[in-house]
Amino acid sequence: MTSDAPQLTDTAAQLDTVAAATERLFTAAAALREADVVEPSLLPGWTRGHLLAHLSRNADSLVNLLLWARTGIETPQYASQYLREADIEAGAPRALREQLEDLSASAERWLALARVMPADRWSTVVRNRQGGEIPATRVLWMRLLEVEIHHVDLAVGYSPADWSPEFVARLLPQSIAEVRPATGGFTVTATDTGYTGTVGVPDTTVSGTAADLTAWLIGRSPGTGLSGDLPDLAAWK
């Protein structure tokens, strides 16, 4: 069981949040040098080029889900896992200018479609690429996750400490619900917000700021700044 966390409920507010996060990401990417694109990101095996290509194709994949919700015609997020990976590999070595143009255009396509979605279509159930059924409103959160987490992965000085309190307050309970420890269970306690959550049958407690806890749970930190016996975690979804 986990303590309650606030969630954005207003669609327009959520879209404004995604747009602002996207602008921060784009500004950071635009400050890269050409040689930086082929340098490693914080994701094992991926360069910054892989990451930028993935962000662009993810926006297009979420366009597919919005079209599904709007028209009622089933449109898979990705045609296949193979094509998803192939598109990322093909896009990774592109020049910085091409990456930035694609990143901007794909984000604008998604935002433009989301802003004109009829209100009664947001409750339409679609499926994510793992096959899970979700209401179309969840697509807004999916895009925000991609932008904010991969901004950190871009290795340009943006860290989990830069995430907004509202973003962390929503992601921390989700990460608790989805994380899988290698053995045993544990409790987390956020020293700055008072949030507590448990995984399995706890035999240890891990404490730290909400942002530090979240970063550790989703594999974006080895646990720097946390106290307690940190269990080994399986890779986050």
Side-chain angles (χ1 to χ4, degrees), residues 22 55-56 59-60 102-112 143:
T22 301
L55 282 162
S56 297
D60 286 340
D102 193 14
L103 184 66
S104 177
S106 59
E108 284 303 315
R109 283 193 294 271
W110 182 82
L111 279 166
R143 183 57 181 171

Side-chain angles (χ1 to χ4, degrees), residues 12 29 49 83 99 124 135 174 206:
L83 288 176
Q99 296 278 15
T124 303
Q174 178 180 330
V206 180

Side-chain angles (χ1 to χ4, degrees), residues 111-181:
L111 279 166
L113 183 58
R115 289 196 186 280
V116 297
M117 175 75 79
D120 64 344
R121 304 308 296 168
W122 282 113
S123 60
T124 303
V125 174
V126 298
R127 286 191 299 276
N128 60 24
R129 72 182 181 91
Q130 292 88 5
E133 293 189 341
I134 56 172
T137 49
R138 184 76 177 182
V139 175
L140 306 177
W141 175 243
M142 289 168 65
R143 183 57 181 171
L144 186 60
L145 284 173
E146 294 289 328
V147 171
E148 287 287 14
I149 294 174
H150 288 323
H151 192 167
V152 172
D153 294 332
L154 200 58
V156 290
Y158 190 77
S159 76
D162 295 308
W163 290 335
S164 73
E166 294 79 12
F167 179 76
V168 173
R170 186 170 181 182
L171 180 52
L172 180 53
Q174 178 180 330
S175 59
I176 281 286
E178 295 176 349
V179 74
R180 295 293 180 268

Side-chain angles (χ1 to χ4, degrees), residues 8-213:
L8 292 171
T9 56
D10 182 76
T11 300
Q14 290 187 69
L15 283 169
D16 288 345
T17 299
V18 176
T22 301
E23 183 61 30
R24 290 192 297 271
L25 171 69
F26 187 82
T27 299
L32 293 171
R33 301 167 301 171
E34 194 68 48
D36 294 332
V37 179
V38 297
E39 291 296 317
S41 72
L42 297 183
L43 287 179
W46 271 17
T47 65
R48 290 192 178 99
H50 284 91
L51 200 54
L52 293 172
H54 165 62
L55 282 162
S56 297
R57 298 291 69 77
N58 170 262
D60 286 340
S61 80
L62 297 181
V63 164
N64 290 340
L65 294 187
L66 292 185
L67 287 172
W68 180 349
R70 181 167 184 145
T71 66
I73 299 172
E74 182 173 345
T75 311
Q77 184 177 354
Y78 293 97
S80 71
Q81 181 68 17
Y82 170 80
L83 288 176
R84 173 183 178 271
E85 295 173 0
D87 283 343
I88 293 171
E89 289 296 331
R94 294 174 300 175
L96 178 60
R97 179 177 177 180
E98 292 180 75
Q99 296 278 15
L100 294 176
E101 289 175 350
D102 193 14
L103 184 66
S104 177
S106 59
E108 284 303 315
R109 283 193 294 271
W110 182 82
L111 279 166
L113 183 58
R115 289 196 186 280
V116 297
M117 175 75 79
D120 64 344
R121 304 308 296 168
W122 282 113
S123 60
T124 303
V125 174
V126 298
R127 286 191 299 276
N128 60 24
R129 72 182 181 91
Q130 292 88 5
E133 293 189 341
I134 56 172
T137 49
R138 184 76 177 182
V139 175
L140 306 177
W141 175 243
M142 289 168 65
R143 183 57 181 171
L144 186 60
L145 284 173
E146 294 289 328
V147 171
E148 287 287 14
I149 294 174
H150 288 323
H151 192 167
V152 172
D153 294 332
L154 200 58
V156 290
Y158 190 77
S159 76
D162 295 308
W163 290 335
S164 73
E166 294 79 12
F167 179 76
V168 173
R170 186 170 181 182
L171 180 52
L172 180 53
Q174 178 180 330
S175 59
I176 281 286
E178 295 176 349
V179 74
R180 295 293 180 268
T183 58
F186 58 93
T187 297
V188 300
T189 300
T191 55
D192 53 343
T193 67
Y195 172 87
T196 61
T198 59
V199 175
V201 179
D203 54 22
T204 187
T205 297
V206 180
S207 301
T209 67
D212 285 345
L213 288 168

